[in-house]
């Protein structure tokens, strides 16, 4: 097995031999042909189908969706390796077209399922052959009041190819092409986004400021393109939401996440109230760094000048050790990602920035992408994405229509895996200064996962409201963002004139509007789960792995009841912040005092 990170690349031939592979061409024809066949066979007959015909319908639909997902996965991963690759871009666009065609072929069936009479639903989906599909159908039924006519739904699918999806693709390609020039030690060098993100944690405050400034001013330099893209995406989202009669722009995401507007509103309010912990922490960090006040570019400043760097082998071994100590089955699943060549790790020109795990369904192994530079944060990111991978593998006990979780549950395994890593590292530290630096780093990570994502959501709510009425300029959007920055950090840091530009560099707000609160939701929920793990030990592990194996087979609130979490409890979110304050912030205050 290779130990050089530059050689750690995934094997996409497990999906298809290449973009011109005969199997890929055959799969394209299969999903187009059979989605048409299913539509012709079952359209207009849903209320007349026998139990056996329903079973046949769902089996066929699952196969079509999994093959389509596999093709999209291949195209996305292929493009992620090099977003400037013309062949990859061509393939990705082609598969998007195919996926849209398939969805259009099947949309009438989904609408008919949603509008099925209650008596028929109750009768059919209690049958043994269909009970595993009941939740999928019920989701459609609960969302049916927001459905449009079949013709309108088809038109939206087609429109999105040259509308919202096209703008998202442009944003990704455009920002992935950015190169950042920074002078270090008298020499000017060009960096990728991932490399500059790493420099934001550099021990030298001037380099941190340069990295911070070059990232944000690059956004301002490209304000015409970025502002138009964002306004177009948001306007599209708002118009469609109003057409569907959703109560607010965030409601479509909440419905998709199977969470009520009220629960999300409570999450946002409680998180905003707990920005006071962020203020307290950054005042404490300034004290540790012997400064009156930190600059915005200092928020991720390391507290040690000799931060530990990890080789790929060290990172891999540590992740496997911690996961193995939690549960041998978890280690076995995670090990296959390394040994089966399901990870792409090196930092490369034009490679997609950040990290992700991509999983499709019960019969396709998940893949993980990271940009590994050897920092401790990279090790935790690796554990985070492999947590997603674990979830993807364990959910393979479900059928395809119950496989994927809503976004609110999608981060559970990833954040829990990070918590395991954090606890292991912290419990094995003996050096006081190292412990201070590590706790500080983890608090920053948790605040970034909760309060920062909450800040993004609050920005989106305001931006969508403004753009609904009229086009917003780069500076107007930056002003909204700057106010939310000040809400999060208060007077605990000094800001720059360009601090507000950051909104234009947050991919989730372009790719998936209102995605970000799912991170906050998951972090606080995992804190509750982790407390239960610390209290219960071995009995908890079985319940936790069963939760992950449940995939999206039920509503989040019902799945979480099985592990003792009550989302309806008004104090639920506050308990998470209380734990973080007690376990991390107060310990740090004691170490520093």
């Amino acid at each position: 097995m290779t130990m050089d990170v530059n050689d750690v690349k995934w094997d996409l031939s497990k999906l298809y031999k290449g973009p011109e592979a005969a199997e890929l061409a055959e799969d394209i024809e299969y999903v187009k042909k059979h989605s048409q066949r299913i539509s012709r066979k079952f359209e207009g007959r849903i209320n007349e189908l026998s139990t056996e015909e329903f079973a046949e319908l769902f089996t066929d639909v699952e196969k079509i969706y999994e093959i389509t997902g596999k093709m999209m996965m291949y195209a996305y991963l292929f493009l992620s390796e090099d977003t400037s690759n013309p062949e990859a871009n061509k393939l990705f666009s082609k598969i998007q077209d195919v996926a849209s065609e398939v969805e259009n072929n099947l949309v009438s069936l989904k609408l008919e399922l949603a509008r099925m009479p209650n008596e028929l639903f109750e009768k059919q989906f209690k049958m043994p052959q269909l009970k595993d599909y009941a939740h999928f159908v019920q989701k459609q039924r609960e969302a049916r009041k927001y459905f449009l006519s079949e013709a309108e739904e088809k038109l939206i699918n087609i429109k999105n190819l040259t509308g919202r999806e096209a703008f998202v693709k442009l944003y990704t390609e455009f920002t992935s092409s950015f190169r950042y020039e920074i002078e270090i030690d008298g020499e000017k060098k060009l960096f990728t986004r991932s490399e500059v993100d790493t420099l934001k944690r550099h021990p030298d405050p001037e380099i941190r400021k340069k990295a911070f400034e070059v990232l944000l001013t690059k956004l301002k330099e490209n304000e015409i393109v970025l502002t138009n893209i964002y306004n177009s995406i948001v306007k599209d989202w708002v118009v469609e939401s109003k057409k569907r009669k959703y109560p607010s722009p965030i409601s479509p995401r909440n419905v998709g996440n199977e969470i009520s507007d009220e629960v999300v509103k409570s999450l946002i309010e409680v998180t905003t109230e707990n920005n006071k912990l962020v203020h307290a922490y950054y005042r404490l960090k300034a004290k540790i760094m012997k400064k009156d006040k930190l600059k915005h570019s200092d928020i991720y400043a390391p507290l040690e000048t000799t931060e530990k760097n990890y080789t790929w082998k060290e990172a891999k071994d540590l992740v496997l050790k911690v996961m193995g100590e939690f549960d041998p089955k978890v280690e076995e699943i995670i090990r296959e990602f390394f040994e089966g060549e399901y990870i792409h790790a090196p930092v490369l020109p034009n490679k997609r920035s950040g990290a992700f795990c991509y999983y499709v369904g019960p019969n396709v192994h998940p893949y993980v992408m990271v940009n590994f530079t050897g920092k401790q944060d990279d090790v935790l990111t690796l554990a985070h994405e492999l947590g997603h991978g674990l979830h993807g593998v364990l959910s393979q006990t479900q059928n395809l229509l119950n496989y994927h979780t809503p976004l609110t549950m999608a981060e559970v395994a990833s954040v829990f895996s990070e918590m395991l890593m954090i606890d292991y590292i912290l419990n094995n530290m003996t050096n006081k200064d190292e412990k201070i630096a590590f706790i500080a780093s983890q608090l920053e990570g948790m605040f970034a996962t909760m309060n920062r994502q909450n800040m993004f959501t609050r920005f989106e709510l305001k931006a969508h409201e403004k753009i609904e009425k009229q086009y917003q300029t780069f500076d107007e959007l930056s002003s909204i963002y700057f106010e939310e920055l000040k809400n999060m950090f208060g007077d605990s840091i000094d800001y720059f004139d360009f601090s507000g530009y950051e909104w234009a560099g947050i991919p989730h707000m372009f790719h998936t509007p209102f995605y970000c609160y799912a991170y906050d939701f998951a972090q606080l929920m995992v804190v509750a789960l982790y407390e239960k793990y610390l209290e219960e030990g071995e009995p908890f592990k079985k319940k936790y792995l069963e939760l992950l194996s449940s995939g999206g087979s039920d509503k989040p609130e019902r799945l979480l009841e099985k592990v003792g979490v009550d989302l309806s409890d008004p104090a639920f979110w506050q308990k998470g912040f209380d734990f973080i304050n007690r376990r991390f912030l107060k310990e740090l205050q004691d170490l520093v005092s």
Side-chain angles (χ1 to χ4, degrees), residues 184-202:
I184 298 179
D185 298 329
E187 182 182 354
K188 290 184 177 180
K189 298 180 180 178
L190 285 178
F191 295 89
T192 65
R193 167 69 187 264
S194 293
E195 290 169 328
V196 179
D197 280 338
T198 299
L199 291 178
K200 285 159 64 178
R201 291 166 168 78
H202 197 279

Side-chain angles (χ1 to χ4, degrees), residues 258-299:
E258 300 182 76
I259 294 293
S260 71
D261 287 358
E262 291 70 30
V263 167
V264 175
K265 183 182 178 184
S266 174
L267 168 67
I268 292 170
E269 289 174 349
V270 172
T271 305
T272 303
E273 172 64 25
N274 281 278
N275 282 343
K276 61 190 177 186
L277 299 183
V278 180
H279 306 169
Y281 166 71
Y282 279 104
R283 292 191 190 101
L284 183 61
K285 184 173 183 179
K287 178 181 177 182
I288 296 169
M289 297 181 70
K290 297 180 171 56
K291 294 186 177 186
D292 292 333
K293 190 182 285 191
L294 299 180
K295 296 176 181 176
H296 193 183
S297 54
D298 294 327
I299 60 175

Side-chain angles (χ1 to χ4, degrees), residues 220-395:
K220 176 66 172 174
E221 288 167 14
N222 294 278
E223 64 176 300
I224 294 175
V225 176
L226 296 175
T227 309
N228 274 283
I229 290 174
Y230 189 66
N231 272 269
S232 297
I233 290 172
V234 171
K235 191 69 174 179
D236 181 283
W237 181 274
V238 168
V239 168
E240 185 176 328
S241 297
K242 289 188 74 174
K243 176 70 175 172
R244 294 183 182 279
K245 296 183 169 52
Y246 281 106
S248 73
I250 198 173
S251 299
R253 184 66 61 210
N254 298 344
V255 170
N257 286 339
E258 300 182 76
I259 294 293
S260 71
D261 287 358
E262 291 70 30
V263 167
V264 175
K265 183 182 178 184
S266 174
L267 168 67
I268 292 170
E269 289 174 349
V270 172
T271 305
T272 303
E273 172 64 25
N274 281 278
N275 282 343
K276 61 190 177 186
L277 299 183
V278 180
H279 306 169
Y281 166 71
Y282 279 104
R283 292 191 190 101
L284 183 61
K285 184 173 183 179
K287 178 181 177 182
I288 296 169
M289 297 181 70
K290 297 180 171 56
K291 294 186 177 186
D292 292 333
K293 190 182 285 191
L294 299 180
K295 296 176 181 176
H296 193 183
S297 54
D298 294 327
I299 60 175
Y300 300 122
L303 296 184
E304 284 188 292
T305 55
T306 56
E307 183 184 351
K308 177 175 173 56
N309 279 306
Y310 291 79
T311 65
W312 179 253
K313 181 181 185 304
E314 289 172 333
K316 171 190 170 183
D317 290 347
L318 182 58
V319 169
L320 289 175
K321 176 180 173 60
V322 173
M323 298 305 153
E325 288 184 0
F326 176 72
D327 188 88
K329 180 181 179 181
V330 171
E331 180 189 1
E332 180 184 343
I333 291 171
I334 297 299
R335 185 178 294 278
E336 177 59 20
F337 280 83
F338 292 100
E339 297 182 355
E341 298 181 295
Y342 292 106
I343 304 175
H344 197 290
V347 176
L348 299 172
N350 299 313
K351 179 181 173 180
R352 194 180 297 273
S353 63
F356 65 80
C357 176
Y358 201 126
Y359 47 95
V360 169
N363 301 304
V364 182
H365 196 282
Y367 281 75
V368 162
M369 192 203 83
V370 294
N371 281 275
F372 186 83
T373 64
K375 301 297 184 185
Q376 195 165 67
D377 280 349
D378 292 343
V379 180
L380 294 174
T381 297
L382 179 63
H384 178 104
E385 299 305 336
L386 287 169
H388 279 304
L390 171 71
H391 202 167
V393 171
L394 288 175
S395 295

Side-chain angles (χ1 to χ4, degrees), residues 81-123:
E81 294 176 348
D82 181 359
T83 58
S84 69
N85 182 343
E87 185 181 28
N89 276 287
K90 182 178 178 182
L91 177 65
F92 187 70
S93 293
K94 180 178 181 179
I95 301 303
Q96 277 188 313
D97 289 345
V98 173
S100 179
E101 181 178 338
V102 167
E103 192 59 35
N104 266 356
N105 288 338
L106 299 177
V107 68
S108 61
L109 298 178
K110 290 176 73 172
L111 292 173
E112 285 187 56
L113 284 169
R115 292 165 180 153
M116 182 187 304
N118 290 337
E119 277 187 24
L120 179 61
F121 173 75
E122 293 295 335
K123 175 186 174 184

Side-chain angles (χ1 to χ4, degrees), residues 424-435:
Y424 178 86
I425 294 171
L426 188 56
N427 290 337
N428 285 276
M429 277 185 172
T430 55
N431 182 283
K432 179 180 176 181
D433 290 338
E434 284 183 10
K435 186 172 281 194

Side-chain angles (χ1 to χ4, degrees), residues 20 25 35 42 72 115 130 145 211 253 281 321 372 379 397 422 440 450 468 481 485 520 548 564 579 591:
E20 301 296 330
S35 59
F42 295 104
M72 184 60 76
R115 292 165 180 153
L130 299 180
K145 61 183 175 181
R253 184 66 61 210
Y281 166 71
K321 176 180 173 60
F372 186 83
V379 180
T397 58
I422 290 166
M450 299 179 301
E468 178 181 356
Y481 188 85
L485 265 178
D520 187 15
L548 299 188
F579 174 81
L591 285 167

